[in-house]
Amino acid sequence: MLERIKNDATAAVTELLTAAKLKAGDLLVIGCSSSEMVGERIGTHSSVDAAAALADAVLPLLRQAGVHLAVQCCEHLNRALIMESAVAEQYGYDPVNVVPQPKAGGSFATVCWENFQSPVAVEHIKAKAGMDIGGVLIGMHLQQTAVPVRLSLDHIGEAILICARTRPKFVGGVRAVYDESLL
């Protein structure tokens, strides 16, 4: 199962980076139920091993692309996000005081906290794209106009995968002309 999670995650992130046109400095939010990845109901079988497999796959890809990761915690931490302190400062996000644990924040947030150089938790972000692994509801952390992204795979492990990118809002009326590269 762990090898499947790594392979699925590698494929999904690689595809999403292209589909969402993410570039260095952009922010990607990932919310993950490790329980769902291993075939159990969300919140019932937190798996640090499954979360570590996901982190092993996505962290090097995102670092190589220069894309910043924000990891959504579970509802027990009010869906706070874990990210590098330098990124939080760059974006102007105020840190809050909490350290995720497998059953209070989630296994993926805990693993990323341990793997980041200088992790902090923040309450709100506006990411350019996101991955929802297992139905954890990341939409509140995306920029205002989210667009679904259909990848070639729809699961990571046993968890349903839903991805999104964002685009600028359309403004204007019938005479408006839009930049096709931003769609």
Side-chain angles (χ1 to χ4, degrees):
M1 177 60 72
L2 298 181
E3 199 59 36
R4 178 180 169 198
I5 289 169
K6 284 182 186 180
N7 292 337
D8 291 349
T10 297
V13 167
T14 300
E15 241 182 280
L16 183 59
L17 286 171
T18 301
K21 301 177 186 172
L22 295 177
K23 59 187 183 307
D26 285 344
L27 192 56
L28 171 72
V29 61
I30 297 179
C32 171
S33 167
S34 61
S35 299
E36 292 277 340
M37 285 196 302
V38 299
E40 300 295 337
R41 204 170 131 255
I42 191 168
T44 62
H45 287 80
S46 191
S47 171
V48 173
D49 291 338
L54 179 63
D56 288 348
V58 303
L59 290 175
L61 293 171
L62 296 177
R63 286 180 182 137
Q64 181 181 7
V67 172
H68 303 301
L69 176 62
V71 178
Q72 179 182 278
C73 295
C74 70
E75 74 276 10
H76 297 101
L77 297 187
N78 297 323
R79 305 211 190 284
L81 301 118
I82 305 304
M83 62 193 331
E84 291 285 3
S85 61
V87 176
E89 186 174 326
Q90 172 189 338
Y91 276 87
Y93 299 140
D94 294 325
V96 294
N97 188 2
V98 71
V99 176
Q101 304 298 307
K103 292 201 176 272
S107 290
F108 187 54
T110 302
V111 167
C112 287
W113 180 277
E114 293 166 356
N115 280 279
F116 286 174
Q117 288 183 329
S118 178
V120 295
V122 301
E123 287 188 286
H124 306 284
I125 65 165
K126 292 294 180 190
K128 284 244 176 147
M131 296 179 70
D132 182 322
I133 304 168
V136 296
L137 306 174
I138 62 161
M140 69 191 83
H141 297 303
L142 293 172
Q143 291 177 357
Q144 191 166 4
T145 307
V147 179
V149 174
R150 301 286 182 244
L151 304 180
S152 63
L153 64 160
D154 61 4
H155 282 75
I156 292 185
E158 295 295 318
I160 294 171
L161 172 65
I162 299 174
C163 295
R165 66 176 178 85
T166 60
R167 65 162 174 76
K169 291 192 286 184
F170 292 135
V171 296
V174 294
R175 296 181 196 168
V177 175
Y178 302 107
D179 181 344
E180 294 289 324
S181 70
L182 298 176
L183 303 179

